[in-house]
Amino acid sequence: MTRTPDADAGAGAADEGREGPAGAGAASATGAAGAAGATDVADRSHGSDRSHGSHGSHGSHESHGSHGSHESHGSDGSGATGSSPLILTMLLLTLVLLQGPIRGLLSAPVMQSWMTVFVAVLVQALPFLVLGVLLSAAIAVFVPPSFFARALPARPALAVPVAGLAGAVLPGCECASVPVAGALVRRGVTPAAALAFLLSAPAINPIVLTATAVAFPREPGMVVARFVASLLVACAMGWLWQRLGRTDWLRTPRRSPHEGQGRGAAFWGSVRHDVVHAGGFLVVGAMAAATLKAVVPASWLRTAAGNPLVAILALAVLAVLLSICSEADAFVAASLTEFSLTAKLAFLVVGPMIDLKLFAMQAGTFGRGFALRFAPATFVVAIAGALLTGAVLL
């Protein structure tokens, strides 16, 4: 808070008045200088107390600079706010002017097929996505990380499968599993167990398995295969890290941005974050599935699907690129009818464990060096686990 020149002068006079009669005279001179400063800034600098007058002038300058800063900030904010309706208006006018060509484009058989697949994937996946985000945010906010630390066995070799199975009990999408795993490491949980939970929670929780059953109503074995393969890969990566991982590869995670907030604010903040990110990737995934179904020549898909190894690698890479939330990826996989069940299983196992957004989140939480080592190993182990499980169960 900026002090006025009069207040500064009065304060100086009071301080000097306590020093005796001589101080009283100086206080009178200072008070006069302060009064002069209230009427004329130039006269203040020539008052009897030169140092105090200088201080008052500096305070006045700070106040003026602060005021100017606030004015500038307000002007920028109003400009940004005013530009938004203009952009929206221009966009609406563009759509109105181009409604004829747009209507003709959408009436083409290819686009009608594209829109059918796109809308079908969105409508089927969206309820599971929203439910998964809500439960994931509730787990992240209302279940303290100390609960996991107390529940896990002390021996890392036993803690890994227990943490992996905990993913089946505590729903969590990819966006929430990484911060939860980071909190577990901060609380002293062995990194091998935290990483097993990170990989299993988005892949084998009840919402994901239910969505898989809905997406594959005539293939109940797909649900069992997804559960077994994902749990196997999560435990294998946990044990692999326990044996080969080094502490200097794993950076101690920082505090979550929601920590320190009230539970309600943290919950809704987590929900907004996950819905925006997961919803955006769902739209991209639905667009990609519709494009593969309606635009890409069927002969290309049959050629890729005809070779089992090429089909598995193709869908595994597609899962990494699309970065679809695990609550919705089963519906995208089910739409790829040209591919085998084992190739679709690879899509469902790889996607929740390693994709572009997960790589970025793991690098931000545990360090880039960790992500560069952990992500490729997870990709290879996930493909091997899907291939092995598919050969046995599908």
Side-chain angles (χ1 to χ4, degrees):
M1 178 176 177
T2 306
R3 299 177 61 183
T4 62
D6 291 342
D8 286 342
D15 292 339
E16 294 175 332
R18 285 193 293 269
E19 298 178 357
S28 299
T30 305
T39 57
D40 188 356
V41 176
D43 292 341
R44 181 180 55 216
S45 62
H46 301 290
S48 59
D49 192 346
R50 301 181 66 87
S51 63
H52 186 74
S54 174
H55 174 72
S57 176
H58 178 66
S60 175
H61 176 72
E62 289 181 344
S63 175
H64 180 73
S66 175
H67 179 68
S69 174
H70 285 303
E71 286 181 346
S72 175
H73 178 73
S75 176
D76 294 342
S78 62
T81 303
S83 64
S84 297
L86 177 61
I87 294 175
L88 180 60
T89 302
M90 295 298 295
L91 179 60
L92 292 176
L93 288 175
T94 303
L95 292 176
V96 170
L97 293 175
L98 298 178
Q99 60 178 330
I102 292 175
R103 187 182 297 112
L105 179 63
L106 293 179
S107 62
V110 173
M111 286 305 301
Q112 289 182 352
S113 176
W114 190 94
M115 289 297 297
T116 300
V117 177
F118 175 73
V119 173
V121 172
L122 281 184
V123 170
Q124 286 183 308
L126 195 58
F128 294 97
L129 175 67
V130 173
L131 181 59
V133 165
L134 290 174
L135 291 179
S136 175
I139 294 297
V141 173
F142 296 105
V143 178
S146 57
F147 168 79
F148 299 95
R150 293 192 304 266
L152 293 175
R155 293 182 58 185
L158 296 177
V160 167
V162 173
L165 286 172
V169 181
L170 301 174
C173 68
E174 299 94 318
C175 299
S177 63
V178 176
V180 171
L184 292 178
V185 174
R186 280 202 315 273
R187 296 294 180 93
V189 173
T190 177
L195 295 177
F197 178 82
L198 181 150
L199 296 178
S200 68
I204 65 173
N205 69 69
I207 297 176
V208 170
L209 297 179
T210 303
T212 305
V214 173
F216 294 90
R218 298 180 181 179
E219 298 292 342
M222 181 63 78
V223 179
V224 179
R226 183 173 194 177
F227 177 87
V228 172
S230 300
L231 181 60
L232 179 64
V233 173
C235 293
M237 287 303 300
W239 285 323
L240 187 64
W241 178 267
Q242 179 63 30
R243 184 164 183 83
L244 302 178
R246 290 166 43 181
T247 55
D248 58 331
W249 292 349
L250 186 68
R251 185 183 67 193
T252 303
R254 296 186 296 267
R255 290 174 58 88
S256 169
H258 299 304
E259 291 187 22
Q261 299 180 354
R263 289 190 172 185
F267 174 80
W268 289 114
S270 178
V271 168
R272 285 193 298 268
H273 174 273
D274 291 353
V275 165
V276 169
H277 283 72
F281 284 112
L282 172 60
V283 171
V284 172
M287 293 173 63
T291 302
L292 290 175
K293 193 74 174 177
V295 178
V296 175
S299 59
W300 293 10
L301 296 179
R302 284 195 298 268
T303 301
N307 189 318
L309 292 180
V310 173
I312 292 173
L313 288 175
L315 290 194
V317 172
L318 184 64
V320 174
L321 296 178
L322 293 184
S323 305
I324 308 172
C325 189
S326 59
E327 284 85 359
D329 59 358
F331 299 96
V332 175
S335 68
L336 305 175
T337 54
E338 294 82 2
F339 291 86
S340 65
L341 290 178
T342 302
K344 295 177 184 178
L345 178 63
F347 181 89
L348 298 178
V349 174
V350 171
M353 295 189 177
I354 177 61
D355 56 31
L356 294 180
K357 74 173 185 297
L358 275 175
F359 179 83
M361 294 180 69
Q362 291 173 6
T365 303
F366 299 108
R368 186 173 58 181
F370 165 83
L372 289 174
R373 294 176 176 90
F374 190 74
T378 302
F379 182 78
V380 173
V381 174
I383 292 178
L387 183 62
L388 178 62
T389 306
V392 176
L393 298 179
L394 296 179

